[in-house]
Amino acid sequence: MAASQQVQQRSKLLSYVLRHRPDSIGLTLDAQGWVDVAELLRCLADAGKAMSRDDLLVVVRDNDKQRFSLNADGNRIRAAQGHSVTIDLALPDREPPAVLFHGTARRHLPAILAEGLRPRTRQHVHLSADTETAWRVGRRHGEPVLLQVNAQAMHVQGFRFTRSDNGVWLTESVPTAFLTQLAEPADRA
């Protein structure tokens, strides 16, 4: 197996464990989603999914979305966002840019236009500061659609925004009144 494939597989495993199912390897996250690196590596090994500390550091360093955060001394790790397990990332409220973007699959558009953006199985709605990132996210799920979010108007009305360690903007929901579907640029058609 190529090294890049190994890194990708390890990244998927870490995402699954640190975002959704820490119990699948006998791991418990703290209230902010952190876990000791040594404990994570021990639990992975006990579950037959051994990974060295160096392997782990390569995944953290090389993950294209920077999905994982290490604390200052490198002894604790957590997923930057995307949790379906209940945790408090303890991120400070931030004033968002005037607009943010959300990429999704076209098949989800009717529900979004009826209900707004909801986190579904996750704790937060994920928003991007740029259209390119939002397009990439949308393409992962099918034929992409790009939505613009009037984040400044939401903020003025009291909606809370935070930004994860990897730059993803998080909020609890986005009502339809703050959404605009953007036309697909000609170079993407």
Side-chain angles (χ1 to χ4, degrees):
M1 177 182 309
S4 63
Q5 287 177 315
Q6 275 189 326
V7 170
Q8 185 177 23
Q9 285 184 341
R10 289 175 179 145
S11 177
K12 286 181 179 185
L13 173 61
L14 289 175
S15 289
Y16 178 72
V17 168
L18 296 176
R19 288 174 156 183
H20 309 297
R21 292 290 314 275
D23 61 314
S24 70
I25 62 166
L27 191 65
T28 302
L29 306 177
D30 76 8
Q32 286 79 42
W34 293 102
V35 65
D36 288 330
V37 169
E39 178 73 3
L40 171 62
L41 295 175
R42 184 189 62 72
C43 287
L44 285 168
D46 289 351
K49 300 172 188 308
M51 186 182 308
S52 72
R53 182 177 180 84
D54 287 342
D55 293 337
L56 177 74
L57 295 176
V58 167
V59 171
V60 171
R61 182 192 70 217
D62 293 350
N63 184 270
D64 62 336
K65 295 182 176 114
Q66 296 298 294
R67 284 191 171 115
F68 311 104
S69 300
L70 290 170
N71 69 344
D73 66 11
N75 289 326
R76 294 176 61 74
I77 188 171
R78 72 176 179 184
Q81 90 288 324
H83 298 85
S84 59
V85 295
T86 302
I87 62 154
D88 178 3
L89 290 171
L91 299 170
D93 287 0
R94 307 247 335 235
E95 183 173 347
V99 295
L100 291 167
F101 304 94
H102 182 80
T104 190
R106 185 169 301 280
R107 70 181 178 278
H108 299 306
L109 195 57
I112 292 169
L113 294 177
E115 305 168 7
L117 290 172
R118 298 179 314 163
R120 300 199 175 271
T121 60
R122 308 237 174 140
Q123 287 190 285
H124 301 97
V125 171
H126 296 182
L127 303 171
S128 303
D130 63 275
T131 57
E132 189 56 41
T133 301
W135 278 115
R136 277 196 311 271
V137 170
R139 276 195 300 265
R140 284 193 346 239
H141 303 288
E143 182 187 352
V145 172
L146 188 65
L147 300 169
Q148 181 174 294
V149 175
N150 187 340
Q152 188 59 47
M154 287 180 64
H155 179 70
V156 167
Q157 290 193 24
F159 287 83
R160 180 177 180 247
F161 287 86
T162 59
R163 196 172 82 187
S164 65
D165 294 342
N166 62 349
V168 174
W169 285 89
L170 307 171
T171 193
E172 290 182 14
S173 66
V174 179
T176 57
F178 300 101
L179 293 172
T180 304
Q181 181 180 349
L182 297 181
E184 187 169 350
D187 66 339
R188 294 191 191 282

